Amino acid sequence: MGQSFKAIGQLHNDAAPAKVTPGLQRRFTLPRLLLALAVLLYAGYFSYLTLVRYAAFEARAFDMGNLDQAIWNTAHGQWFHLTNEPGTVNRLSLHVEPILIPISWLYWIYSGPPILLILQACVVALGAWPLFALARFKLKSEWLALLFSFVFLLNPSIQAANWLEFHPLTLAPTLLMAAFFFLVTDRPGWFAFFALLAASCKEEMALLVFMMGLYAFFVLRRRKLGLLTMVLSLSWALLAVLVIQNTFADGNIHWGRYSYLGATPLQKVITLVSRPAIVLAQLRAANALQYLGWLLLPIGFVALCAPEILLLALPSLAINLLADFSPMHQVNELIYAAPIVPFVLIGGIYGVAHIASYGLHHWDIRHTRTVYPLLGTVIISGALFAQHQFGYLPDSGNARPFTVTEHHRRAAAIIAQIPPDAKVSAQDRLNPHVSGRQTLYIFPRLDDADTVFLDVTNSAWPQHPNDLRKTVDDLLATGWGVAAADDGYLLLRKGDFPKAWPPTFDTAWRKAKPALVNSHQIDFADTLRLLDYQVETDSHGELVTQLYWTALKPLDHDLRFYIAYLDPEGKNLQDSQFYPPVASLWYPTSKWPLGATVLVQTLPWTLTTDRFTLAVGLYEGENGWQNGQRLPVTKVEPALPLLENRTIARLGGYVQTTQKQWQALPPVSAPPAQALDAKFGEQLVLQGVTVPELKVKAGNKVVFNLYWQALQPPDFDYAIFAHLLDASGNKVAQLDGQPHDGSGLLPFTAWTPGQSVVESEQLSLPKTVVAGEYQLIVGLYNWQDGKRLPVTGANAQAGDVVTVAQIQVK
């Protein structure tokens, strides 16, 4: 037994590593085969995921376009040359990433972002190997080592960095873990190699290598190696930040994120040391405890048992949390947390070793045998929960499936027509697809560009859609022409080119007649007909509405579309007046052929509510919606509520699901629980009522549905009231207002004769209501003069109210 304790004690003492080969003797074992399979699956899946994302034009100029241009120019002899960032001519003014030099050699084989995405997925996947080797070395268990490798591949922060285009920083975790493994196994040559690669990924990575030098000096007691590592890494970090970036950028552009600490680096350091209250305030603003919690969750918080390892990540933690830049405080969406993850995972390995070592010294050996399975369960549970909540695998919290459409594929023919030596200005999402060139700008920046590449079918960021159209018109009037156009893509070039685009440009909006999703057909002034509509959530979680229209007669003028999202009270949450559908700018109604189906799609919007009502109208003139130039609805089949003097068709209500998708609110289809016969004036009849709960606690709500039908068009927007009366006829609770159905506000003048309307209401009870039997009555009144509508029928009471239910208050 004494020999066993001695061997295990040696296992957990990095200061005196055993002079044995870290690998086990058997070359092929089931855990290793499973690890190889996991690495291949991860590399394959994230290569596919990021390639599809790129092909769906989801990559952005920042940073895919920037990096591709810098790497392309490096491969062609102009190291780090970059024009895509305003005021920048070299990538070194943004970040110091020497690893881009060997990466650029890949461009001699294949040039373009796809090879970067595949490289990144493969390097990230390979990070499971050094972690496996380290865990096997420390814990002497290949199955536990395999578990840590799985935890790495499941880590949401790593997946987020991998998913978010290409960044050299995303390669660093693999290189850092490899460097640490070779450090603790006393192989200084390999340690130096991987430490050098890690430091070349970004200027601040050298500080993490510096921390490894501290670890070697104080913990491993390898004084020369530790001191040399600290001196070289710190020297490189200072050179990169204070000399190289300042030389190319006339000052480090990132210092502004820490301006609250002082104007100069020295002032910032002095503030950090002398004014802890400022630092604590920033850590609270960055929600540092939650940040650390999300980092530690995927390892089951076991890393807390190895604080000496977690401290190695202190530079990156400080850089992120002390920045006055909220994206750097995100753990599972961007790249900034990725370099911290290796030390969290290594801390998990060492935490397990510490717990096991403590157990061997203080517990019975039989109990110690259960430590590894128990800790393994805790760790994998944390990893799976974090993946479910924040991961990027299918059905995980941040999974965003992208679809490559025919529209995306048709861009290739346009791109092929751009000369290799052209100086191009391209929109944000088109930019990375043409970035392999010496000169590239983000549209609308032109400078000396001779080519402009646009997709006008979606957001015109950073321009307003109207400004984009005006910019194009101005270019066509000043020496530019249309070199190619197709499906909403425009390729403009200086020179003798046509000023008008061909009919193929309009195919972005001319569509085949849709298979009906909604059965309503709505005619506006017998000019345009709404055939169908769909409400969707795009790949970024934003709301998009698609409406399919057809012209009923030729139009010699252009109509504008009013598409609005209303709250349950009918108030406007967002509408298309300020951000019009791009179809109205590029394919206006005066160009629509008779009988063609035209897609009019809203720009993506983010609503701050989880419910809305969709409303649609048509108008003429830029300010025609407010100035009364609206087109009336002349026909609706089947009937729909028509608002504001029949100029708005209320299409229906939508609610956001737990999966962040928009789902139509279904109409109430169940018949009323109690039939009624109450006629209000000559216009309205109350046919029934449903009260789901007749026994209600004081302080709660009485929920009820009223079943109405209009006998003839209501001539006024009457108000409805509901009173709860005690046995003496005293009113103890009431509500007043316009009627609502399941979709939202539905004033009486919007009702169509013969249409059934189910009004949904809630009556709040005071907490002071005494228990007992109460009577629920309803009625209608003219809110201008307070006069109630007379009621006739079997359920009428006192000539102007209807008793709809007996409520028992508990």
Side-chain angles (χ1 to χ4, degrees):
M1 182 67 71
Q3 292 297 321
S4 299
F5 277 96
K6 183 177 180 181
I8 294 174
Q10 178 69 19
L11 171 65
H12 295 292
N13 183 8
D14 286 342
K19 295 295 182 178
V20 296
T21 301
L24 300 182
Q25 296 302 315
R26 292 175 295 163
R27 181 167 297 178
F28 299 107
T29 63
L30 181 57
R32 297 187 202 186
L33 292 175
L34 292 174
L35 173 61
L37 179 62
V39 168
L40 289 173
L41 288 174
Y42 180 98
Y45 178 73
F46 273 87
S47 293
Y48 167 79
L49 187 68
T50 52
L51 287 172
V52 169
R53 183 175 183 269
Y54 172 76
F57 288 81
E58 292 293 338
R60 311 289 292 272
F62 300 153
D63 290 314
M64 181 61 84
N66 286 8
L67 280 159
D68 180 56
Q69 190 194 19
I71 295 170
W72 186 91
N73 277 303
T74 300
H76 288 78
Q78 292 183 292
W79 284 15
F80 309 111
H81 179 66
L82 176 68
T83 61
N84 212 25
E85 182 93 18
T88 299
V89 295
N90 197 290
R91 175 75 184 175
L92 293 175
S93 63
L94 303 175
H95 294 293
V96 182
E97 304 152 320
I99 201 169
L100 295 183
I101 296 173
I103 288 175
S104 71
W105 302 339
L106 294 173
Y107 275 41
W108 301 343
I109 304 170
Y110 178 89
S111 179
I115 200 167
L116 300 178
L117 298 173
I118 294 172
L119 170 70
Q120 180 171 264
C122 291
V123 171
V124 170
L126 287 171
W129 282 104
L131 194 68
F132 176 88
L134 180 64
R136 183 182 59 188
F137 173 68
K138 287 293 297 179
L139 305 176
K140 289 295 186 287
S141 168
E142 287 204 342
W143 288 106
L144 262 181
L146 180 65
L147 181 144
F148 277 99
S149 297
F150 284 171
V151 167
F152 167 73
L153 297 176
L154 289 172
N155 188 276
S157 299
I158 294 297
Q159 292 178 357
N162 197 161
W163 177 86
L164 192 64
E165 304 175 12
F166 171 81
H167 298 86
L169 180 69
T170 306
L171 310 180
T174 293
L175 304 172
L176 289 167
M177 290 187 293
F180 189 87
F181 168 71
F182 288 117
L183 175 66
V184 300
T185 55
D186 197 16
R187 284 184 273 185
W190 283 108
F191 163 69
F193 174 74
F194 283 103
L196 179 63
L197 287 178
S200 69
C201 289
K202 194 179 177 184
E203 59 277 2
E204 67 203 51
M205 294 300 98
L207 298 178
L208 297 176
V209 176
F210 172 83
M211 298 301 288
M212 289 190 197
L214 278 177
Y215 186 85
F217 189 91
F218 289 106
V219 178
L220 302 182
R221 296 194 293 275
R222 297 175 200 156
R223 310 299 188 191
K224 290 183 180 180
L225 178 63
L227 184 60
L228 184 61
T229 300
M230 286 188 286
V231 170
L232 292 178
S233 58
L234 185 59
S235 298
W236 169 247
L238 294 175
L239 176 68
V241 173
L242 299 181
V243 178
I244 296 177
Q245 285 186 308
N246 284 346
T247 298
F248 286 92
D250 192 24
N252 191 307
I253 66 170
H254 304 295
W255 285 125
R257 298 172 182 177
Y258 310 92
S259 59
Y260 69 95
L261 294 172
T264 67
L266 181 59
Q267 290 174 346
K268 298 180 197 301
V269 172
I270 293 173
T271 302
L272 284 173
V273 175
S274 63
R275 303 181 66 182
I278 292 179
V279 176
L280 290 175
Q282 171 57 30
L283 292 177
R284 285 193 295 269
N287 211 346
L289 289 179
Q290 177 179 282
Y291 183 93
L292 294 173
W294 292 145
L295 279 171
L296 293 167
L297 172 63
I299 198 70
F301 297 93
V302 174
L304 290 172
C305 296
E308 76 281 8
I309 302 297
L310 291 179
L311 285 173
L312 301 182
L314 191 58
S316 289
L317 279 169
I319 288 170
N320 289 352
L321 292 176
L322 295 180
D324 186 15
F325 182 57
S326 59
M328 296 181 72
H329 309 152
Q330 297 183 26
V331 175
N332 299 311
E333 289 81 25
L334 300 175
I335 64 172
Y336 299 104
I340 302 171
V341 173
F343 301 101
V344 174
L345 294 170
I346 294 170
I349 294 171
Y350 277 65
V352 170
H354 292 344
I355 294 171
S357 178
Y358 179 88
L360 286 173
H361 287 85
H362 297 86
W363 304 331
D364 186 274
I365 188 66
R366 292 169 297 178
H367 295 160
T368 304
R369 291 171 181 167
T370 68
V371 170
Y372 280 177
L374 179 61
L375 292 177
T377 302
V378 171
I379 291 169
I380 197 63
S381 297
L384 292 174
F385 179 77
Q387 175 61 213
H388 179 265
Q389 293 295 112
F390 310 112
Y392 289 77
L393 295 180
D395 297 324
S396 297
N398 281 321
R400 298 180 188 177
F402 296 105
T403 301
V404 180
T405 66
E406 178 62 23
H407 175 70
H408 298 136
R409 287 187 282 268
R410 290 172 74 164
I414 302 287
I415 295 172
Q417 299 181 56
I418 302 176
D421 59 348
K423 299 177 180 180
V424 178
S425 176
Q427 284 174 309
D428 180 32
R429 296 181 188 274
L430 301 181
N431 190 283
H433 293 262
V434 294
S435 49
R437 63 190 62 252
Q438 183 175 352
T439 303
L440 175 70
Y441 306 117
I442 303 173
F443 189 82
R445 180 187 172 198
L446 291 176
D447 290 9
D448 59 340
D450 55 29
T451 303
V452 167
F453 184 31
L454 304 172
D455 178 2
V456 306
T457 64
N458 211 312
S459 171
W461 186 91
Q463 289 187 300
H464 186 280
N466 292 345
D467 295 332
L468 173 61
R469 179 60 201 254
K470 184 178 184 303
T471 302
V472 170
D473 290 341
D474 290 343
L475 289 174
L476 294 176
T478 56
W480 293 70
V482 180
D486 182 50
D487 205 51
Y489 293 108
L490 273 179
L491 184 65
L492 307 180
R493 299 204 65 203
K494 287 184 177 179
D496 187 19
F497 294 96
K499 299 299 182 180
W501 42 80
T504 54
F505 176 74
D506 300 333
T507 60
W509 302 282
R510 289 184 59 175
K511 303 296 180 181
K513 188 173 182 180
L516 292 180
V517 174
N518 297 284
S519 59
H520 298 281
Q521 291 194 356
I522 308 170
D523 294 356
F524 288 84
D526 299 322
T527 57
L528 295 187
R529 173 176 292 168
L530 179 61
L531 299 173
D532 196 13
Y533 60 93
Q534 294 174 273
V535 173
E536 297 180 342
T537 303
D538 70 5
S539 56
H540 300 281
E542 294 185 298
L543 171 62
V544 173
T545 297
Q546 298 176 332
L547 301 108
Y548 293 88
W549 299 82
T550 189
L552 300 176
K553 63 182 181 182
L555 294 174
D556 57 2
H557 60 288
D558 296 328
L559 300 176
R560 297 172 183 263
F561 301 90
Y562 177 79
I563 306 165
Y565 303 137
L566 312 176
D567 71 7
E569 297 303 319
K571 295 180 180 178
N572 197 325
L573 298 169
Q574 182 66 275
D575 68 51
S576 59
Q577 292 182 84
F578 185 70
Y579 284 105
V582 295
S584 62
L585 299 172
W586 299 94
Y587 193 49
T589 57
S590 60
K591 295 180 63 176
W592 291 12
L594 190 64
T597 300
V598 178
L599 171 63
V600 175
Q601 178 172 299
T602 62
L603 292 171
W605 285 329
T606 298
L607 295 183
T608 57
T609 179
D610 61 357
R611 180 176 172 177
F612 72 88
T613 302
L614 178 63
V616 173
L618 288 176
Y619 63 103
E620 299 178 355
E622 184 174 352
N623 299 312
W625 190 253
Q626 289 83 12
N627 296 339
Q629 295 177 274
R630 304 182 186 184
L631 275 66
V633 176
T634 52
K635 182 180 179 182
V636 184
E637 292 182 355
L640 276 175
L642 302 177
L643 309 177
E644 299 190 20
N645 197 26
R646 299 180 64 85
T647 62
I648 297 177
R650 202 197 70 170
L651 300 183
Y654 289 82
V655 65
Q656 197 169 41
T657 66
T658 54
Q659 291 77 34
K660 303 301 181 181
Q661 301 296 312
W662 290 103
Q663 177 178 293
L665 288 167
V668 177
S669 57
Q674 178 185 348
L676 297 174
D677 177 22
K679 185 177 179 183
F680 288 79
E682 299 298 325
Q683 304 173 48
L684 301 160
V685 60
L686 181 59
Q687 298 176 319
V689 63
T690 295
V691 184
E693 297 291 338
L694 295 174
K695 296 181 179 180
V696 184
K697 290 184 179 180
N700 289 354
K701 295 180 179 180
V702 178
V703 178
F704 58 98
N705 293 332
L706 301 175
Y707 292 74
W708 296 90
Q709 189 176 69
L711 302 177
Q712 54 183 279
D715 58 3
F716 187 78
D717 285 330
Y718 298 101
I720 183 174
F721 65 88
H723 296 166
L724 194 67
L725 307 179
D726 63 15
S728 302
N730 298 314
K731 181 170 56 180
V732 298
Q734 73 174 51
L735 65 81
D736 290 86
Q738 295 289 312
H740 296 71
D741 65 359
S743 296
L745 183 70
L746 187 60
F748 284 105
T749 55
W751 295 16
T752 301
Q755 175 189 5
S756 295
V757 175
V758 181
E759 179 187 359
S760 301
E761 298 291 355
Q762 297 181 0
L763 175 64
S764 298
L765 301 184
K767 293 182 179 180
T768 56
V769 174
V770 179
E773 295 288 338
Y774 293 85
Q775 190 177 44
L776 180 63
I777 64 170
V778 298
L780 303 178
Y781 69 97
N782 184 317
W783 52 269
Q784 290 181 334
D785 57 19
K787 293 182 179 179
R788 296 183 179 182
L789 264 67
V791 184
T792 58
N795 301 100
Q797 177 180 329
D800 55 15
V801 297
V802 178
T803 300
V804 297
Q806 299 292 329
I807 303 298
Q808 182 180 350
V809 178
K810 299 183 289 184

